[in-house]
Amino acid sequence: MTGEITRDLIVERLGHVKYDRFLFYLMGPYKSFNLNYVLSEEERREIDVDDLPGPLRRLFRNKTDIDAAQALLRRVQGELRVTPGINAFLALDVGVDTDDVDAATQSIEYTKCSNATAFVLPFLGHNFGVGEEAGSVLEALSETHGDRLVFVHEDDVTSAMIRSARVRWDLRVETYETEADLVRTLRFFAGGIMQQERRGELSRLE
């Protein structure tokens, strides 16, 4: 697919929900992180996983859930599409080939077209690529879309990129402990954007 990414294109490629024209772009890792993939076999043999703190044990034992991070995004997307019925979507859903438009440019265009955008950073996610794309989005759109952007990271995630984004771009940053917390935070954020649009504090996107 080539050509311009527009709101109409995105809506056309997504399923029907109550608020079709309220686009909520969800960014996040599609792969889970696992230390078994970055350590040598000899290094792994020297580590007694049972003796590690809980968060580190999770990094070793996440062997089979390679797509757990993407599954999290899909579940959250589904929750938002049901209640409050907004058109939450992932980049994959629009079907624009990265050979036609690179991933960073796609993210910038999807953010431009969206009423709200969330960067979701789970503890088990490969977050480096998300951080790079988020940086590109913030660099390009923080002045015009800053009020429509939010970072939501799991409690165990620490990131210099998140800290610098908060200072440099005055980005809204939230944390979550459970998936239910994450969904609740994103619903609240989306509801706030809706109210600001209705009151004229943010422009309505056609």
Side-chain angles (χ1 to χ4, degrees), residues 20-81:
D20 281 344
R21 302 296 295 183
F22 190 96
L23 298 178
F24 196 162
Y25 177 34
L26 299 176
M27 288 184 65
Y30 290 166
K31 293 290 183 182
S32 300
F33 185 72
N34 179 357
L35 284 177
N36 288 292
Y37 298 120
V38 296
L39 297 178
S40 68
E41 185 175 342
E42 181 179 347
E43 288 171 324
R44 293 197 298 271
R45 281 199 301 267
E46 293 176 357
I47 296 173
D48 187 342
V49 176
D50 289 330
D51 289 340
L52 295 174
L56 287 179
R57 284 201 303 274
R58 291 165 64 193
L59 289 179
F60 278 93
R61 289 178 172 163
N62 187 44
K63 292 182 180 180
T64 57
D65 294 333
I66 305 304
D67 294 319
Q70 184 176 337
L72 169 68
L73 290 176
R74 286 299 187 195
R75 289 193 300 273
V76 170
Q77 176 191 17
E79 292 280 357
L80 295 172
R81 290 178 69 84

Side-chain angles (χ1 to χ4, degrees), residues 111 115-119 134 137-138 141-142 145-151 170-173 189 193:
T111 301
N115 301 75
T117 296
F119 308 97
V137 169
L138 290 166
L141 302 176
S142 62
H145 289 67
D147 290 336
R148 299 180 183 271
L149 306 174
V150 66
F151 260 70
D170 193 27
L171 182 68
R172 177 173 176 174
V173 177
F189 178 69
I193 298 293

Side-chain angles (χ1 to χ4, degrees), residues 7 37 59 75 90 103 105 107 109 128 135 147 153 155 174:
R7 282 175 57 80
Y37 298 120
L59 289 179
R75 289 193 300 273
L90 312 186
T105 301
S107 289
E109 292 304 311
F128 182 73
D147 290 336
H153 66 89
D155 275 348
E174 304 283 355

Side-chain angles (χ1 to χ4, degrees), residues 187-201:
R187 281 177 176 153
F188 183 79
F189 178 69
I193 298 293
M194 282 182 156
Q195 289 299 320
Q196 289 178 74
E197 289 183 351
R198 287 170 182 162
R199 293 193 298 260
E201 297 167 8

Side-chain angles (χ1 to χ4, degrees), residues 3 10 30 34 45 53 55 66 84 98 103-104 106 132 160-161 166 175 192:
I10 297 170
Y30 290 166
N34 179 357
R45 281 199 301 267
I66 305 304
T98 53
Q106 282 189 36
E132 284 196 327
M161 193 275 176
R166 177 180 283 180
T175 61

Side-chain angles (χ1 to χ4, degrees), residues 140-193:
L141 302 176
S142 62
E143 290 188 11
T144 57
H145 289 67
D147 290 336
R148 299 180 183 271
L149 306 174
V150 66
F151 260 70
V152 190
H153 66 89
E154 196 169 356
D155 275 348
D156 292 327
V157 173
T158 57
S159 168
M161 193 275 176
I162 295 175
R163 290 192 293 273
S164 64
R166 177 180 283 180
V167 173
R168 180 173 180 181
W169 291 292
D170 193 27
L171 182 68
R172 177 173 176 174
V173 177
E174 304 283 355
T175 61
Y176 71 94
E177 292 184 8
T178 67
E179 191 170 316
D181 291 336
L182 172 59
V183 171
R184 188 162 44 247
T185 296
L186 294 177
R187 281 177 176 153
F188 183 79
F189 178 69
I193 298 293

